[in-house]
Amino acid sequence: MANQVEKTIRIQLNDAQTIMELSQLIQKYKAEIFLQKNVHGSMMEANLKSILGLINLQLQGDDQVKVICEGPDAEKALEAIESFLKAE
């Protein structure tokens, strides 16, 4: 059975961070990584390894998102994503 971890995070991005940096950061992980966010009243889910998925989520500071990672390095992937999204 694959290792799955999830965590709800409040995003705290600084002006210098981009979704391209997030996309590049997570490419090294084998885990499948998904992000869920409420967008205009609808729950959206995107694969974080897809730049189009990241764009569609319209991530902004103070958004609350749920990160779901599944795979052999899921915990490490979640730690890296949380660190990136909570950088100030």
Side-chain angles (χ1 to χ4, degrees):
M1 185 170 160
N3 183 30
Q4 180 174 331
V5 293
E6 59 184 60
K7 187 168 188 177
T8 300
I9 299 169
R10 183 160 308 275
I11 296 176
Q12 298 168 345
L13 296 174
N14 66 44
D15 292 340
Q17 291 174 291
T18 68
I19 58 173
M20 288 298 294
E21 290 173 320
L22 177 58
S23 179
Q24 291 171 352
L25 171 76
I26 62 174
Q27 294 305 319
K28 65 182 176 183
Y29 297 101
K30 293 180 181 176
E32 291 296 318
I33 305 168
F34 296 92
L35 195 89
Q36 294 177 342
K37 177 188 167 197
N38 187 321
V39 178
H40 304 297
S42 297
M43 189 58 69
M44 302 281 293
E45 180 176 275
N47 183 329
L48 283 190
K49 292 186 176 180
S50 162
I51 191 69
L52 185 56
L54 279 168
I55 291 169
N56 286 336
L57 287 177
Q58 305 168 20
L59 296 178
Q60 299 177 30
D62 211 36
D63 283 347
Q64 185 166 309
V65 296
K66 184 176 189 178
V67 181
I68 304 164
C69 302
E70 183 173 345
D73 53 1
E75 291 176 9
K76 288 182 181 179
L78 180 61
E79 288 172 9
I81 294 163
E82 181 177 17
S83 178
F84 183 87
L85 293 178
K86 292 182 93 174
E88 293 188 51

